[in-house]
Amino acid sequence: MQATRRRTNFGTAGLLYCLTVVVVALASVNRPNNLLVWIFSAMLIALLVSGVVSGMMLLRLRAHRIEPRRARVGEVLVVRYEIRNLSRFVPAFDLHIEERKLPPSIVNAGEAWMLHCGPGDTVHAEGVFRASKRGLFRFPTFEVWSSFPFGLLRKRLIFERASEVLVEPEIIPLQPSLLSRLARGGLMGGVRASVEVGGGEDFFGVREYRAGDSIRSIAWKRLAGTDQLATIERSRAVPPRVRIVLDLRRATSDLRVAEGVDPRALEEDAITLAASLMALADRQGDEFGLTILGLDVAAIPLRRGHFHRAKVLAALAALDLDQPRDASATLRESAERATVLFVHPDRADTSISPAVGWNFTAAQLSSLRIPLALGGET
Amino acid sequence: MNLLRQHRISAFLLVLLAMAAFATSQKDLVLLMSSGAIAVLSWYVTEGPRGRSLPEVASNILILGLLMWTLAEFLTDIELADATSVLGRFLLWLLVIKLFSRRTAYEERQRFTLAAMLVVCGCLETVEFVFAALVFAFIALGIWTAMLWRLQSSLDAARASRKGDGAFLPPPLEVAVGRRLLPQFRRLALLSIVVIFAGSVVGFAAFPRFGESRGGRSQSDAVSGFNDRIDLLANARINESRRELFTVVWKDPTGTPEQSKRPIYLRGAVLDRYDPVTHRWEALRTSNAIRAMRTPTDAKFVALGPGVPDTTGGVWTAEIAMRSLATSVLFTVYAPFAVATDESYSVAFDPATLLLRDVGTDHVSRYWWYALRVQPQPSPQMMETLQGSTNPPRSDISFPVPALKPIAERILSQAFVTGIPTAEDVRADPSLRWMRNREIARAVASWMRGGRFRYTTDLTAFEIADGEEPIIAFLERNQFGHCEYFASALGGILRTLGIESRLVTGFVALEYDVSTSQYIVRESHAHAWVEVRTGEHQWTAIDPTPEESLMQISERNRAFSDNFRWIYDRLEFLWNSQVLAYDSAAQATIADRMQSKWWKSVQESYDAVRVQMRALVEQYSLGRAGMVWFVAIALAFFAAVAAWLFARRRLRHTQRIAGLAGLPPQEARRIAREVSFFADALDMLEDAGFPKPAPLTPRQHVAAITLHDANAGGAFARLVERFYRVRYGGLAQSISDREETRDELLRLKSALSRRR
């Protein structure tokens, strides 16, 4: 991509250098000294060479941001840039790449820099950022600059090329026993047999023997009685299931919170808690789904796996808390067998659904996390 | 070697170079050796196996001590001329301390700045060739180091920016090695160095100069040891350098080189006025009969006087070849009557002093060689022919130091002057005056050479009380000094005794090289002596300095490095003649030459074009309107050539993109013309931030774009299908197909512009 604009700036070093050049010029005029005159000329030409070299270096440079897909609050976001030097002769050195007009919630944690991009080369550089808020953010403009060779002038190429990045909510490590206690015991969850044939332990049925069936699965008693080969089928094991219900029915301003507490922060904490529960369920091999009450977001069915997890996190990341809420939304009854975890920003509310579930509030986030001393990561 | 690893070495060498340059400017070998040794030690300490550095507290204490020492030096010796030297020494030792500090980017910057300041201090002290060579080396290495430093500091900054909160962050991609990186960096750095040096030559030549032009004192005179004035109070430094300045071939009347029985005195300036307040001998410019003449180009002699000289006494020739000195002064042997130069120069001859000076304004450099025809003992007729009526008036013989009179009379009585005409004899017969002058001068000079006075260049013990006349201090109390004191004393005594005399400065040729049959004149051979009037138009050189002392000092200062001087003598001469002697006159000459040359070439080109056009017009009877047509056709032709070149370039670009390299040229050109839309589409996509990676097929690229922008992907997909049909399906596009393709391109463009 070609640069939208080009700019040239004097840095502090450049200004000091110019001042020195002026002093040497005055000394040369005041004190007839041809050596000083020569030095002055060399300094002046060095300034020109600095501008020309950096200008030529950047003249045929094309830069392209390789779009970052996702980021997560509290984790680093690595943005890669591809620089192509279309020049046939002039190499580029000391290239810095900086994002401009970044949203305040995204901070630069490590600039992208490359030492060298030879003629005809394509080189990649990485910039590191940190996001402090979830949501959809724009990277509107980036610039490639260099002050090579002498650091006196800074030549900039400005690329106005917007990219969007979805920042997922922070995932806090929760106590592993939390879900095993809630979801694996009792009627609501636990490992059980499904209605499909699979590789589990439980008996599913008996069918006629087919060539290739394992000898270990032959129903020997049936064979003894009927003198016909039959094979025992086993049912597929189904992992525990967890449905996370995020209660966002109340508008931010209507939340019942103590004085001095930021209700929007509580809502964000609730989203973080929902994401953390989901991550915990995923880590333990459970199936999980997400329902968001109060906002126009379709419920995500119970599944597991990498893509499903990404889908749930994307849904949480893209939540717009400024949208109007539906205070009358309730969790519809379904035949779904799963442990239901309700996450409320302010207080537990049992009127959401007749279904039995476990209620969490955003304020519990700190108490549910693994203490740092026990190896909890941030 | 890793590119960035070179940075430390080159930065260290840069500091060493700055220190060497400054020590050279001070001509202080002890300073060079001591500071250099400590600096080299610092490399072992900081970069050695243990990698230690001086603690900051210790460094600060040392710097404070150095500062106090420098301040004390300023307070005790507040000579303004030495301020730069003291400041330079402070910077040098500060730099040495800094070399032991930790190698941080901040310290590197400080060291670089201090080194540059040290070099500038040296520039204010000297302009000698060796120093200048070191300065140029410093500039070249400085450019290289600055470029490396830029890369190193950026890498450090990139690393530091990732250490923000201690969390794990991926390190920056570091590609400081590689087969292509080093040569490319070297090429760029060398190109920068060459361009800066070439540009600085232009800047140097064009820099406005407001100083004295040729004919005045040039900077090269200041480094030759020769001085056109004598200051008896400014004798802190006496140049004892054995630098070869020029050679003299002394030929007898038959043209055979020979060694003169007496040293050859080469006159550079005549000083005939003594100022008792400043204690200086200066030239009294009374002559207004200076003759300007132009020497021919083929080294033919041109006469200095208007008439035909009387050469009955024999004619000697002095051929002077410059080795490292470039000055406007032509050093002459008494008494010259003709001069020849290697190139044509404008020369001014002062009949009163018999001095020659180059006053040409049409030469950039100084002469390389010149020759003088001289008569060592000229006849009165010849001198009259040469000088005419321009001899200094006799009234200017008084000496403005009354306290010298009793001393002079006492010396005269001690000098055993016998058998010479007395003042009464002279009054009775004025023709005896010249004999009296000569005899008294010889007697006093002989008395001075008789062992009472010691010749030395070390004047540290020479004491002059407040208000005391240096000549009297020399004669009465110290009784040692160098040639300027000897000559001043003799000149003062003779004038006090009413004998016309003047001081002459220049060089004395003592060192004869038998193998080459020529005298070698060195910087340390700069000399001062006295000339006494011994005729209406005649002056006789009297040297009160003991000749043996001069020889001894010359031999004593011989150094091993003198054997290698021939290596850079020519370079030094070029430096002095082309750079230090470059002044406003030389600048004007270059400007005139350039202007005339450029203007001439432009005018010639214009005339040639005009003649050709006129011939065409006449041949085809075009007339004035035809001229306009002719110009229009020429412009159209150039536009067509430019368009053809552009189209050819575009076609090649398309051929490369469409992979048509293996096809027959005609077929490749046909297909390239058909699928040029595909190249346009790819260019548009690249501008919008979707460059096509080489490994992807066009269809895969469509899929990648569609993920980002369905509209753009759709439009591009249709173009790709069309491309496949033309490129691989052999489809020739009809007019309607072309229109559809154009529409698709517009759609792609609008989709991409919406995205932007």
Side-chain angles (χ1 to χ4, degrees):
Chain A
M1 181 185 174
Q2 215 162 357
T4 320
R5 281 175 287 156
R6 290 168 190 272
R7 293 282 183 275
T8 304
N9 295 98
F10 263 105
T12 315
L15 289 174
L16 282 175
Y17 183 82
C18 288
L19 197 68
T20 314
V21 170
V22 171
V23 169
V24 173
L26 288 175
S28 314
V29 172
N30 187 43
R31 183 173 186 157
N33 181 332
N34 278 352
L35 185 56
L36 270 183
V37 171
W38 201 307
I39 289 175
F40 162 72
S41 308
M43 289 176 86
L44 206 62
I45 299 296
L47 191 64
L48 284 176
V49 166
S50 175
V52 170
V53 168
S54 53
M56 280 174 61
M57 273 185 350
L58 301 188
L59 189 67
R60 303 211 63 204
L61 222 56
R62 303 286 182 268
H64 166 226
R65 186 197 292 121
I66 298 173
E67 298 209 353
R69 296 288 166 82
R70 294 202 171 170
R72 182 169 300 150
V73 173
E75 292 181 9
V76 294
L77 161 64
V78 177
V79 180
R80 293 177 75 88
Y81 303 88
E82 185 185 89
I83 307 284
R84 293 171 68 200
N85 186 359
L86 300 183
S87 171
R88 292 169 66 187
F89 305 107
V90 186
F93 287 95
D94 187 28
L95 297 174
H96 300 251
I97 303 151
E98 276 183 18
E99 287 290 343
R100 293 285 172 214
K101 301 174 193 169
L102 278 178
S105 55
I106 293 186
V107 291
N108 194 340
E111 68 165 345
W113 175 76
M114 63 175 65
L115 178 81
H116 170 242
C117 183
D121 282 359
T122 301
V123 186
H124 284 207
E126 289 175 345
V128 182
F129 300 86
R130 274 185 190 281
S132 56
K133 272 175 70 177
R134 53 148 206 105
L136 188 66
F137 296 106
R138 274 170 67 87
F139 283 62
T141 306
F142 69 99
E143 68 178 40
V144 179
W145 63 268
S146 176
S147 55
F148 190 81
F150 306 128
L152 307 176
L153 292 167
R154 180 184 281 200
K155 292 263 179 183
R156 295 188 294 149
L157 297 180
I158 299 166
F159 295 85
E160 287 179 346
R161 172 87 175 85
S163 300
E164 287 179 342
V165 61
L166 193 61
V167 178
E168 296 169 351
E170 188 178 6
I171 290 178
I172 291 173
L174 301 178
Q175 295 170 20
S177 58
L178 179 69
L179 275 188
S180 57
R181 281 207 297 266
L182 299 179
R184 300 190 182 209
L187 297 172
M188 301 301 295
V191 180
R192 55 185 171 72
S194 78
V195 290
E196 294 169 18
V197 177
E201 295 291 323
D202 294 325
F203 177 80
F204 184 79
V206 176
R207 62 167 170 79
E208 283 184 10
Y209 177 80
R210 289 181 209 149
D213 283 347
S214 168
I215 197 167
R216 294 170 68 185
S217 59
I218 290 174
W220 296 106
K221 287 183 180 173
R222 170 76 63 94
L223 178 65
T226 61
D227 207 18
Q228 283 182 339
L229 276 173
T231 303
I232 298 171
E233 285 185 323
R234 308 283 175 184
S235 67
R236 182 168 63 86
V238 175
R241 295 171 147 192
V242 177
R243 172 155 297 277
I244 299 158
V245 180
L246 182 61
D247 178 17
L248 294 176
R249 293 173 304 160
R250 287 178 186 276
T252 311
S253 55
D254 297 340
L255 289 179
R256 298 156 293 178
V257 294
E259 201 172 331
V261 177
D262 181 12
R264 179 53 62 89
L266 280 182
E267 284 181 326
E268 291 294 344
D269 281 354
I271 293 170
T272 304
L273 182 57
S276 305
L277 287 169
M278 181 278 302
L280 183 61
D282 182 46
R283 203 177 307 143
Q284 293 183 349
D286 300 349
E287 287 188 346
F288 51 90
L290 176 71
T291 303
I292 296 164
L293 292 178
L295 287 174
D296 187 17
V297 179
I300 299 172
L302 295 165
R303 299 276 187 280
R304 63 177 177 171
H306 176 74
F307 289 105
H308 184 63
R309 171 193 162 108
K311 194 173 172 183
V312 171
L313 283 173
L316 288 172
L319 284 178
D320 183 0
L321 297 177
D322 293 329
Q323 292 286 319
R325 313 290 174 89
D326 179 8
S328 60
T330 54
L331 187 66
R332 280 180 234 147
E333 276 196 70
S334 69
E336 184 179 79
R337 282 169 59 92
T339 304
V340 183
L341 305 177
F342 295 101
V343 180
H344 307 278
D346 49 355
R347 296 180 193 173
D349 185 355
T350 52
S351 67
I352 295 176
S353 164
V356 177
W358 301 95
N359 289 282
F360 294 92
T361 61
Q364 287 178 281
L365 187 62
S366 55
S367 60
L368 291 174
R369 71 183 301 161
I370 300 176
L372 286 175
L374 298 180
E377 293 173 357
T378 54
Chain B
M1 186 189 284
N2 184 321
L3 179 65
L4 295 179
R5 208 171 289 167
Q6 294 179 5
H7 168 247
R8 288 193 169 190
I9 298 170
S10 62
F12 179 69
L13 288 178
L14 192 73
V15 170
L16 281 189
L17 209 51
M19 288 162 61
F22 181 74
T24 307
S25 77
Q26 300 292 303
K27 295 192 174 66
D28 193 338
L29 189 66
V30 176
L31 183 70
L32 176 67
M33 298 305 288
S34 55
S35 59
I38 298 172
V40 170
L41 181 70
S42 80
W43 178 261
Y44 178 76
V45 172
T46 56
E47 298 287 336
R50 296 199 176 178
R52 287 178 173 170
S53 60
L54 202 63
E56 203 174 333
V57 179
S59 171
N60 287 343
I61 289 170
L62 282 174
I63 291 170
L64 202 64
L66 181 64
L67 194 66
M68 300 293 281
W69 176 66
T70 309
L71 279 175
E73 205 166 351
F74 263 116
L75 290 174
T76 52
D77 184 12
I78 49 169
E79 288 272 334
L80 196 62
D82 291 336
T84 332
S85 171
V86 174
L87 180 67
R89 280 165 197 271
F90 168 71
L91 291 174
L92 186 138
W93 289 113
L94 186 60
L95 200 50
V96 170
I97 294 170
K98 286 281 172 191
L99 280 175
F100 285 91
S101 311
R102 281 180 61 209
R103 306 258 165 190
T104 60
Y106 178 67
E107 291 287 339
E108 289 279 340
R109 264 202 302 273
Q110 277 193 348
R111 275 194 284 266
F112 193 87
T113 313
L114 284 174
M117 285 167 71
L118 196 60
V119 170
V120 171
C121 275
C123 286
L124 296 174
E125 287 284 303
T126 185
V127 287
E128 280 187 17
F129 170 70
V130 179
F131 172 74
L134 288 171
V135 169
F136 286 131
F138 178 84
I139 291 174
L141 188 62
I143 293 167
W144 174 269
T145 310
M147 290 170 87
L148 281 175
W149 182 72
R150 189 72 240 144
L151 298 180
Q152 181 69 56
S153 63
S154 290
L155 176 63
D156 291 343
R159 279 180 180 156
S161 72
R162 292 174 187 230
K163 289 178 184 168
D165 49 6
F168 168 75
L169 291 173
L173 294 177
E174 189 180 337
V175 278
V177 289
R179 202 158 52 86
R180 298 175 64 198
L181 171 67
L182 271 171
Q184 283 174 8
F185 179 82
R186 279 188 197 134
R187 267 202 296 275
L188 192 65
L190 284 176
L191 188 70
S192 301
I193 291 169
V194 169
V195 169
I196 287 173
F197 271 96
S200 66
V201 171
V202 178
F204 172 78
F207 186 82
R209 284 167 172 80
F210 309 105
E212 213 172 344
S213 69
R214 188 169 297 184
R217 294 184 73 219
S218 75
Q219 294 162 56
S220 57
D221 291 342
V223 297
S224 68
F226 163 72
N227 213 333
D228 62 0
R229 72 163 75 107
I230 289 176
D231 186 348
L232 293 177
L233 291 183
N235 288 317
R237 288 181 197 167
I238 294 297
N239 202 334
E240 293 185 6
S241 161
R242 284 185 56 81
R243 185 163 66 112
E244 284 184 27
L245 298 182
F246 52 89
T247 58
V248 180
V249 178
W250 182 247
K251 289 182 176 174
D252 66 8
T254 62
T256 312
E258 65 161 21
Q259 184 176 8
S260 172
K261 288 173 185 138
R262 296 184 57 224
I264 297 173
Y265 289 88
L266 294 143
R267 306 161 78 244
V270 171
L271 316 175
D272 47 10
R273 194 176 77 87
Y274 182 73
D275 187 341
V277 179
T278 58
H279 307 295
R280 279 184 187 166
W281 287 90
E282 287 174 345
L284 182 67
R285 298 179 195 279
T286 53
S287 176
N288 54 2
I290 289 175
R291 294 176 204 146
M293 63 203 69
R294 181 123 192 125
T295 56
T297 51
D298 49 358
K300 280 188 179 167
F301 282 92
V302 58
L304 299 175
V308 180
D310 173 23
T311 57
T312 50
V315 175
W316 272 259
T317 307
E319 290 179 2
I320 297 167
M322 290 295 159
R323 286 277 182 90
S324 64
L325 177 63
T327 170
S328 60
V329 176
L330 279 81
F331 293 97
T332 57
V333 182
Y334 191 84
F337 63 88
V339 65
T341 54
D342 53 346
E343 285 183 46
S344 179
Y345 281 89
S346 293
V347 176
F349 175 65
D350 185 354
T353 57
L354 303 186
L355 291 178
L356 281 163
R357 208 173 185 90
D358 165 26
V359 292
T361 56
D362 52 354
H363 275 273
V364 179
S365 62
R366 299 295 184 193
Y367 40 77
W368 180 255
W369 177 94
Y370 61 89
L372 299 161
R373 288 258 164 89
V374 297
Q375 268 200 318
Q377 290 169 336
S379 64
Q381 291 76 20
M382 182 187 156
M383 291 307 292
E384 196 171 348
T385 309
L386 208 57
Q387 289 190 316
S389 58
T390 54
N391 239 358
R394 292 183 190 186
S395 57
D396 193 29
I397 58 169
S398 61
F399 195 67
V401 183
L404 193 59
K405 193 167 178 66
I407 300 168
E409 284 170 352
R410 194 183 72 231
I411 290 171
L412 188 64
S413 66
Q414 289 175 356
F416 305 109
V417 185
T418 54
I420 59 167
T422 59
E424 287 74 31
D425 295 340
V426 171
R427 269 194 291 276
D429 181 4
S431 63
L432 295 173
R433 173 192 183 86
W434 310 124
M435 191 177 83
R436 180 176 182 270
N437 285 1
R438 184 172 56 243
E439 293 306 320
I440 290 177
R442 279 180 180 166
V444 175
S446 174
W447 179 81
M448 289 180 74
R449 286 196 298 264
R452 289 173 184 78
F453 298 93
R454 184 167 52 90
Y455 181 87
T456 178
T457 53
D458 181 13
L459 295 180
T460 48
F462 194 92
E463 292 176 353
I464 303 173
D466 282 346
E468 191 180 12
E469 172 57 42
I471 295 174
I472 294 174
F474 168 73
L475 287 170
E476 294 291 293
R477 199 147 49 83
N478 295 310
Q479 297 192 330
F480 64 87
H482 52 68
C483 59
E484 291 182 355
Y485 281 90
F486 278 84
S488 299
L490 179 61
I493 289 167
L494 292 179
R495 281 202 175 186
T496 305
L497 295 172
I499 295 169
E500 276 181 84
S501 60
R502 60 192 185 187
L503 261 65
V504 182
T505 57
F507 291 92
V508 57
L510 297 162
E511 191 178 329
Y512 189 74
D513 185 352
V514 181
S515 61
T516 56
S517 304
Q518 63 185 14
Y519 285 92
I520 295 168
V521 179
R522 302 181 187 278
E523 209 169 334
S524 57
H525 293 156
H527 194 44
W529 62 95
V530 175
E531 281 184 353
V532 180
R533 192 165 190 176
T534 55
E536 193 63 37
H537 296 284
Q538 280 176 303
W539 295 79
T540 301
I542 308 284
D543 190 356
T545 310
E547 191 180 313
E548 312 78 49
S549 307
L550 287 177
M551 290 294 286
Q552 279 170 7
I553 285 179
S554 179
E555 286 304 310
R556 194 178 66 203
N557 292 329
R558 178 179 286 276
F560 176 71
S561 60
D562 290 340
N563 298 325
F564 306 100
R565 279 198 171 275
W566 59 273
I567 297 172
Y568 66 89
D569 271 352
R570 187 165 283 253
L571 288 171
E572 192 168 25
F573 177 75
L574 283 174
W575 169 252
N576 290 337
S577 63
Q578 307 282 346
V579 180
L580 293 188
Y582 186 81
D583 53 15
S584 52
Q587 197 174 30
T589 305
I590 286 186
D592 286 346
R593 280 190 197 171
M594 292 287 286
Q595 200 178 6
S596 59
K597 207 170 183 177
W598 277 96
W599 180 240
K600 203 175 162 189
S601 63
V602 167
Q603 210 153 22
E604 278 175 0
S605 311
Y606 176 69
D607 287 344
V609 171
R610 226 176 136 181
V611 166
Q612 290 294 326
M613 283 185 71
R614 196 178 290 275
L616 276 171
V617 167
E618 281 175 5
Q619 190 170 352
Y620 297 105
S621 307
L622 292 175
R624 192 171 288 275
M627 287 282 281
V628 175
W629 272 109
F630 184 77
V631 171
I633 288 169
L635 286 176
F637 174 74
F638 284 122
V641 168
W644 178 75
L645 285 173
F646 178 77
R648 190 161 155 264
R649 189 164 168 242
R650 180 84 197 144
L651 203 65
R652 286 190 175 178
H653 176 61
T654 311
Q655 283 179 351
R656 201 166 50 246
I657 285 176
L660 303 173
L663 294 178
Q666 205 172 354
E667 180 71 2
R669 275 200 295 275
R670 186 191 67 76
I671 296 178
R673 275 189 213 103
E674 292 282 337
V675 298
S676 62
F677 67 88
F678 183 65
D680 292 339
L682 285 183
D683 287 348
M684 274 184 212
L685 287 167
E686 185 176 339
D687 285 347
F690 298 118
K692 179 180 162 300
L696 289 193
T697 64
R699 280 184 179 145
Q700 284 171 330
H701 194 37
V702 167
I705 291 167
T706 311
L707 275 175
H708 291 92
D709 189 327
N711 291 332
F716 184 54
R718 288 188 286 278
L719 286 168
V720 166
E721 290 311 313
R722 204 172 285 271
F723 166 71
Y724 274 117
R725 282 206 296 276
V726 176
R727 168 70 181 88
Y728 301 106
L731 179 78
Q733 287 199 93
S734 63
I735 293 173
S736 59
D737 287 343
R738 285 178 202 280
E739 282 173 1
E740 279 177 27
T741 308
R742 205 173 301 131
D743 292 343
E744 288 295 348
L745 272 175
L746 287 174
R747 271 194 281 279
L748 177 63
K749 192 175 181 181
S750 66
L752 292 173
S753 62
R754 274 203 301 277
R755 181 180 169 74
R756 196 175 291 173

